[in-house]
Amino acid sequence: MNNRSAQHPRRPVMKEHADHEQAPAPCHASLNNEVVTIYFDDDQTGQWPLVWLRDHCPCDTCRHVHSHERLFSLLDADIGTPSLTLVPDMYQLTINWPDGHRSALDTGWLYQRRPGQHDFLPALPAARPWRLPFSPRRITHETLMAERDRGQGAGERQWLQALMRDGLVLLDQGPTTPDEVIRFATHIGPLRDTNFGARFDVVSKPTPNNAAYTALELELHIDLPNWHQPPDIQLLYCLENDAQGGDSTFADGYAVAEDLRIHAPEAFRRLADTPIDFRFQDSEQDITFRAPVIGVDHQDKVTEIRFNNWIRDALGLPLEEITLWYEAYLAFWQRLKNPLFRHELALAPGQMIAFDNRRVLHGRSAFNPETGRRHLQGCYLDRDMIHSRFRVLSRACEHTR
Ligand SMILES: O=C(O)CCC(=O)C(=O)O
Ligand SMILES: [Fe+2]
Ligand SMILES: [Zn+2]
């Protein structure tokens, strides 16, 4: 949006020099075995290998003046044995390198980046499994937008926070103007495009290419598990909903997976360790991806759920694994059906639900298009944009360091 920066003057993109008021003063610096040690007046010390310091030189030759991106290549450096000058009053460490290059580093900035203290990035809200009974955080459209227009972001920050923490958040009492969802989303970041378009209308269509465009019940699912990277965040904005039926259902996939891990560990392991195929085909596309139903990271922490019964492809497992895999899958599916893990709501016109598509499953009951109209508009956003917006809004709220 063109006038966004005018409405929301942004602070500098990146500061290579921290405010030293917040950092302890440096007392002494020494160089030993290619490692610089700085002693600070809060009794902390920081140690940085020379190669690290050379790599992080903030001068205008090493960093682009405007973008602050690194221009310097370590391949060109002569690190050797430099000389150090510490000016405590200026919070500055100057390093004169053997090749004549001079680096002046702010000791407050260095203090925040002491090796082993890797917490200089603003923290993002951690995902927290739903506490049952769960209901999503509600934020009114009016509050959020009025603040946005005034260049403030407390309401939007709460919305983002709830989305990252619970994987689901409800915007309430918005207008029923077409494309409001697009206006809302593009303020946060560019839309994530897919084979169904960057934006979509969920209405029952005469020749649907997707179960969502029917009036049928939709079992809990995530969208597009047949892509390498399914969309991260889905926004669904209700414009009309007066047909009989069509209530929305959500379940916290992380909570269900953890329950499975506790009560049926073999089933959990099988779903986490067995990649299966997901596939969408029409006359123009054949989009397929192989991945486990429960995605875990190197510490076995659940990081994504791929559950979508209608685009799960033919099961290509070896004979001896098939029955066991189905048992595990059904154990997970049964749990998804448990009302304990579900949150149901009837979206009212002007409400927008946003959820983490790789964590929270969504579905709806069947509706009867003869009895009224049901029209949702939706789009997707990348997680990066949610995180970025949260960090930007956090600058103003002084929640970051
Ligand atoms: O109709 C609904 O409530 C949801 C449709 C759906 O699953 C989708 O748009 O991804
Ligand atoms: Fe969907
Ligand atoms: Zn430099």
Side-chain angles (χ1 to χ4, degrees):
M1 297 170 91
N2 293 334
N3 60 357
R4 189 162 84 194
S5 51
Q7 286 176 354
H8 298 274
R10 304 262 159 119
R11 292 184 24 179
V13 175
M14 171 182 149
K15 291 202 295 181
E16 267 306 309
H17 294 271
D19 300 326
H20 24 253
E21 297 90 62
Q22 289 169 19
C27 308
H28 177 67
S30 65
L31 169 61
N32 264 312
N33 294 331
E34 301 183 354
V35 173
V36 171
T37 305
I38 303 182
Y39 301 83
F40 292 92
D41 72 355
D42 64 349
D43 290 338
Q44 298 282 334
T45 52
Q47 295 194 294
W48 297 264
L50 285 174
V51 64
W52 191 102
L53 291 164
R54 183 63 193 89
D55 190 38
H56 291 80
C57 177
C59 83
D60 289 354
T61 318
C62 292
R63 294 256 170 186
H64 191 275
V65 188
H66 297 296
S67 73
H68 297 290
E69 287 170 338
R70 188 181 285 106
L71 300 176
F72 161 73
S73 157
L74 262 180
L75 288 174
D76 303 330
D78 177 5
I79 291 178
T81 308
S83 64
L84 308 182
T85 315
L86 181 73
V87 188
D89 294 350
M90 305 275 291
Y91 288 74
Q92 198 176 69
L93 174 73
T94 307
I95 308 177
N96 288 298
W97 303 95
D99 61 5
H101 196 80
R102 189 168 162 276
S103 301
L105 292 125
D106 182 292
T107 59
W109 185 88
L110 284 171
Y111 182 85
Q112 289 181 346
R113 289 158 181 78
R114 283 165 292 152
Q117 301 279 318
H118 217 279
D119 62 352
F120 55 87
L121 290 176
L124 295 170
R128 190 175 75 188
W130 292 0
R131 300 214 172 114
L132 304 169
F134 171 81
S135 40
R137 173 97 204 235
R138 283 170 187 249
I139 294 165
T140 67
H141 183 277
E142 195 189 347
T143 315
L144 194 154
M145 294 314 240
E147 285 177 3
R148 251 190 193 178
D149 289 344
R150 289 198 302 271
Q152 296 167 351
E156 186 174 355
R157 193 172 173 280
Q158 283 166 17
W159 182 88
L160 294 162
Q161 192 170 31
L163 182 57
M164 285 182 264
R165 187 191 57 209
D166 302 331
L168 184 74
V169 58
L170 188 70
L171 196 70
D172 216 356
Q173 297 167 30
T176 50
T177 338
D179 291 340
E180 182 58 24
V181 67
I182 309 303
R183 276 187 289 281
F184 183 91
T186 47
H187 196 93
I188 295 175
L191 306 183
R192 160 79 193 272
D193 205 352
T194 78
N195 55 309
F196 294 112
R199 34 159 300 170
F200 44 86
D201 285 88
V202 185
V203 279
S204 70
K205 298 180 185 173
T207 53
N209 61 349
N210 179 321
Y213 306 148
T214 66
L216 299 170
E217 177 190 351
L218 294 182
E219 179 62 85
L220 283 171
H221 65 281
I222 74 131
D223 279 8
L224 305 179
N226 57 316
W227 284 61
H228 266 79
Q229 188 185 322
D232 292 327
I233 304 297
Q234 182 168 7
L235 311 182
L236 282 175
Y237 198 106
C238 178
L239 294 176
E240 291 173 287
N241 195 6
D242 52 23
Q244 261 169 28
D247 290 356
S248 305
T249 310
F250 300 92
D252 181 359
Y254 285 4
V256 177
E258 288 308 334
D259 188 73
L260 190 71
R261 194 203 301 259
I262 292 168
H263 298 289
E266 282 174 20
F268 176 90
R269 200 62 285 138
R270 193 160 292 275
L271 292 186
D273 289 350
T274 316
I276 60 157
D277 294 315
F278 298 92
R279 189 171 195 180
F280 169 89
Q281 284 173 293
D282 66 8
S283 55
E284 275 140 39
Q285 314 277 6
D286 186 349
I287 310 169
T288 178
F289 193 63
R290 180 172 295 176
V293 171
I294 298 177
V296 294
D297 67 10
H298 62 286
Q299 293 174 317
D300 214 26
K301 185 170 157 233
V302 177
T303 51
E304 72 166 359
I305 304 294
R306 289 190 192 237
F307 185 96
N308 183 320
N309 200 44
W310 60 87
I311 58 168
R312 189 161 50 76
D313 201 7
L315 190 66
L317 296 180
L319 175 63
E320 63 279 11
E321 288 183 32
I322 291 176
T323 315
L324 291 166
W325 186 85
Y326 276 116
E327 276 171 20
Y329 189 65
L330 295 179
F332 183 66
W333 199 345
Q334 282 300 344
R335 275 178 170 72
L336 285 176
K337 292 238 172 242
N338 186 337
L340 212 59
F341 289 117
R342 292 181 164 227
H343 178 73
E344 301 198 357
L345 80 150
L347 280 175
Q351 286 186 328
M352 181 185 81
I353 194 84
F355 51 93
D356 181 338
N357 178 56
R358 301 174 74 175
R359 165 183 174 186
V360 169
L361 297 94
H362 62 286
R364 65 149 194 248
S365 59
F367 63 95
N368 181 353
E370 315 276 296
T371 56
R373 287 182 53 85
R374 185 178 188 277
H375 183 190
L376 311 182
Q377 283 188 319
C379 62
Y380 305 112
L381 283 170
D382 286 323
R383 200 184 297 286
D384 306 70
M385 293 297 103
I386 300 294
H387 294 179
S388 162
R389 186 88 184 126
F390 183 80
R391 291 192 190 104
V392 169
L393 293 175
S394 297
R395 287 179 192 157
C397 299
E398 294 182 350
H399 280 270
T400 58
R401 303 204 307 163

